[in-house]
Amino acid sequence: FWPGMENDLSLGRFITTEITRGYFLEHNEAKYTERREKVYTCLRIPKELEKLMTFGFFLCLDTFLYVFTLLPLRVVLALLRLVTVPCCGLRGSRLLQPAQVCDVLKGFIMVLCYSMMSYVDYSMMYHLIRGQSVIKLYIIYNMLEVADRLFSSFGQDILDALYWTATEPKEKKRAHIGVIPHFLMAVLYVFLHAILIMVQATTLNVAFNSHNKSLLTIMMSNNFVEIKGSVFKKFEKNNLFQMSNSDIKERFTNYILLLIVCLRNMEQFSWNPDHLWVLFPDVVMVITSEVAVDVVKHAFITKFNDISADITDLDHAD
């Protein structure tokens, strides 16, 4: 206080006190240190998250390329074994190992679904979707995203059930409906999921080719709704790791969809490289919005749940 103002209760004393009073932050050292660490954690999130996303992207890419490169070779080797083992008189050995049985099933599913997809008219699908209003396409795209997540979750169970049913030891008591019904369910699932991905790519293609770009803007702004549904929930490390895996898969799927859209558009313009630069701003906008949403979402989830930004904590979560 100023001298002579100890008993002064006037407005002037109040203003003078507010102007000259100090802050005793050292009395709450732990509190402010913790808040500073939270700021540092949020600043580290983009770097650490992108390291995880990059690692996950290459894992997804490896799995994706495996289906079109190594899997056909494994199927051929399995079929050769299926032919040569009986001819060589090796009666005591199994015709196919469990891994080879799974490879053959995967190969048959791919061939059948590819044959079925060849009858789908993409041009008709494109014009049918393009004829819808913007709000309808927005709703359709949201429904497709939800359906894709549901299909991915349940579809993996269908495939795993098929592989286990086909390779289950014969000594065990039969508790399944048979390999053929499981195989037909797997073929139906893969075909329907492929149709769903094609509709997603077509809808995104329509958004890219629309004149006012309003649909593309609405679709990208919808990503930010995901923040509202995630950041205020309670998350443990395991839950955060599962969500990170889902984000990796979603981002990889979006990259594949963008690749399909670019290839379709380049094909329409006779592979003119100049048209690629026309698509480039929209592609950057889609990728940027996806990255921004993931960064903001993970930053606030780690802040609200006091989770470290270190990737090793996520990788070693029990």
Side-chain angles (χ1 to χ4, degrees), residues 105-313:
L105 290 173
K106 292 176 184 178
F108 284 155
I109 291 173
M110 280 189 59
V111 172
L112 287 175
C113 290
Y114 178 80
S115 301
M116 295 164 66
M117 289 293 294
S118 63
Y119 292 98
V120 178
D121 190 347
Y122 176 82
S123 299
M124 183 187 69
M125 182 185 299
Y126 177 83
H127 291 291
L128 181 64
I129 294 176
R130 189 171 186 177
Q132 306 301 318
S133 62
V134 172
I135 189 64
K136 281 186 178 180
L137 291 178
Y138 171 69
I139 296 174
I140 290 173
Y141 193 79
N142 286 340
M143 293 174 61
L144 291 174
E145 282 191 336
V146 175
D148 179 45
R149 295 185 181 185
L150 296 178
F151 267 59
S152 299
S153 176
F154 186 62
Q156 189 60 51
D157 293 339
I158 292 177
L159 295 175
D160 290 341
L162 169 64
Y163 302 147
W164 173 241
T165 303
T167 59
E168 186 178 12
K170 304 302 180 183
E171 295 81 11
K172 291 190 175 183
K173 181 180 178 181
R174 174 169 173 164
H176 54 79
I177 59 177
V179 176
I180 294 179
H182 278 286
F183 179 76
L184 295 177
M185 283 193 297
V187 172
L188 179 62
Y189 154 70
V190 174
F191 175 70
L192 292 179
H193 203 168
I195 292 292
L196 188 146
I197 296 296
M198 179 178 286
V199 176
Q200 272 188 298
T202 306
T203 307
L204 190 60
N205 195 13
V206 170
F208 268 68
N209 293 328
S210 61
H211 297 291
N212 54 11
K213 304 296 182 182
S214 59
L215 176 59
L216 185 62
T217 304
I218 293 174
M219 289 166 58
M220 294 307 101
S221 64
N222 185 57
N223 289 337
F224 292 90
V225 179
E226 186 180 349
I227 298 177
K228 178 182 177 182
S230 301
V231 297
F232 299 112
K233 293 181 180 179
K234 179 66 176 177
F235 277 89
E236 300 293 339
K237 287 186 178 181
N238 284 338
N239 303 123
L240 182 59
F241 185 64
Q242 293 298 324
M243 189 184 70
S244 300
N245 292 338
S246 177
D247 290 338
I248 291 170
K249 179 260 178 187
E250 180 181 354
R251 187 179 293 191
F252 181 79
T253 303
N254 288 336
Y255 289 162
I256 295 297
L257 293 178
L258 290 173
L259 178 62
I260 294 173
V261 170
C262 291
L263 292 177
R264 290 293 300 180
N265 279 274
M266 292 293 291
E267 181 186 8
Q268 294 297 322
F269 287 86
S270 302
W271 304 100
N272 184 3
D274 294 335
H275 186 67
L276 184 61
W277 295 107
V278 177
L279 299 173
F280 185 74
D282 295 333
V283 173
V284 171
M285 184 176 71
V286 173
I287 295 176
T288 302
S289 66
E290 186 72 26
V291 172
V293 167
D294 288 340
V295 168
V296 172
K297 180 174 65 177
H298 283 263
F300 280 96
I301 286 176
T302 54
K303 177 183 183 298
F304 292 148
N305 295 276
D306 296 324
I307 299 176
S308 172
D310 195 352
I311 285 183
T312 56
D313 288 346

